[in-house]
Amino acid sequence: MNAIISAADLASESAGPRPPVLLDVRWQLGGPNLRPEYEAGHLPGAVFVDLDAELAGPPGTGGRHPLPDPEAFGAVMRRAGVSAGTPVVVYDGGLGWAAARAWWLLRWTGHQDVRVLDGGLAAWTGGLSTEVPAPAEGDFRPKPGGIGLLDADAAAALAREGLLLDARAAERYRGDVEPIDRIGGHIPGAVSAPTSENAAADGRFRPAAELAERFAGLGATEAPAVGVYCGSGVSGAHQVLALELAGVEASLYAGSWSEWSSDASRPVATGPDPQ
């Protein structure tokens, strides 16, 4: 099944006999909660999910956006009407990072039918609703392990033995700037692959053939295994999704640079060279 869906196809499915559960995960990095924007207008039937509070655990040793407790995540999904056999479509304001985080979490916890609205809310041409729905409780029970997850040690090993992609902006990878975390640079051996290059200016993913060419050029098709990290495990999920569109299976280091850099004992590389 394709991991993304167009606005036209979503409109058609929503009007059909088996409409998907819709999750609105609009989010602003470092900004306020976007529930007010959701309440001002959202896709009809969509339930708001807060990335910081519901798609992540409390910041700490696991990074700025550690994975949520699976049972707590499952309760959030059930309240949103998610069941094991129900299709789910997630969307955000258009960048795709937050939607990809929700997509990744659902896939990691075992849901088999979840897609991201390509281009997010900006791509939607239908009407919006201000009605906050109260869906019937779903039956989704998380079973972690549906797709690959790395911890810090596994990410370090993959950087040596396979391909570890750094999804942050190139200047953060090089260590030229570091606006958020303790120190700049990258995991030794990781290859720079900014998430911004996965999508066009309108937020839609580049065609699968273009993504496949991009990741092949980075060594993904030859590597025995592929992993991704970013700043805190959000934009990295977008990269995992882009790799799936390109036909490449990849694992996510969810703690990412925010976890790695918080431990002064871990090595840091700087500059354009992976090592």
Side-chain angles (χ1 to χ4, degrees):
M1 173 175 290
N2 200 339
I4 59 175
I5 185 171
S6 69
D9 286 346
L10 176 57
S12 177
E13 288 192 19
S14 295
R18 192 167 175 256
V21 171
L22 301 178
L23 304 180
D24 183 313
V25 289
R26 276 178 275 182
W27 172 73
Q28 183 177 348
L29 176 63
N33 181 290
L34 296 185
R35 186 177 180 94
E37 282 76 1
Y38 161 82
E39 292 176 350
H42 50 265
L43 269 62
V47 175
F48 182 75
V49 178
D50 186 331
L51 186 148
D52 290 317
E54 298 176 318
L55 301 183
T61 56
R64 279 181 282 110
H65 289 108
L67 296 185
D69 173 77
E71 288 307 311
F73 172 70
V76 169
M77 292 297 101
R78 290 191 295 275
R79 286 196 301 270
V82 175
S83 290
T86 304
V88 179
V89 172
V90 294
Y91 71 91
D92 57 25
L95 188 60
W97 294 5
R101 171 75 172 211
W103 169 86
W104 187 90
L105 279 168
L106 279 163
R107 288 287 308 279
W108 175 65
T109 52
H111 203 290
Q112 298 298 313
D113 192 351
V114 54
R115 290 163 291 172
V116 167
L117 174 58
D118 197 19
L121 183 65
W124 181 255
T125 58
L128 298 178
S129 172
T130 58
E131 179 181 352
V132 176
E137 179 118 348
D139 64 14
F140 178 65
R141 299 289 174 181
K143 296 178 181 178
I147 53 178
L149 172 66
L150 304 172
D151 61 14
D153 290 340
L158 189 56
R160 298 188 302 268
E161 301 162 3
L163 177 66
L164 182 65
L165 298 176
D166 185 315
R168 297 171 301 155
E171 59 268 25
R172 291 184 69 193
Y173 170 88
R174 294 191 301 265
D176 299 344
V177 298
E178 182 44 63
I180 306 173
D181 294 311
R182 185 184 68 84
I183 190 172
H186 57 269
I187 297 173
V191 173
S192 181
T195 296
S196 59
E197 297 179 20
N198 294 333
D202 63 1
R204 290 180 172 88
F205 280 94
R206 292 163 57 184
E210 289 185 16
L211 291 171
E213 183 178 7
R214 180 196 183 203
F215 291 122
L218 293 167
T221 53
E222 301 297 327
V226 179
V228 177
Y229 75 96
C230 57
S232 64
V234 178
S235 67
H238 191 276
Q239 189 99 293
V240 172
L241 196 162
L243 282 155
E244 178 159 314
L245 296 177
V248 178
E249 183 178 323
S251 299
L252 177 68
Y253 171 26
S256 287
W257 188 248
S258 62
E259 179 187 44
W260 182 277
S261 64
S262 70
D263 183 347
S265 71
R266 293 198 177 276
V268 172
T270 56
D273 186 84
Q275 302 300 331

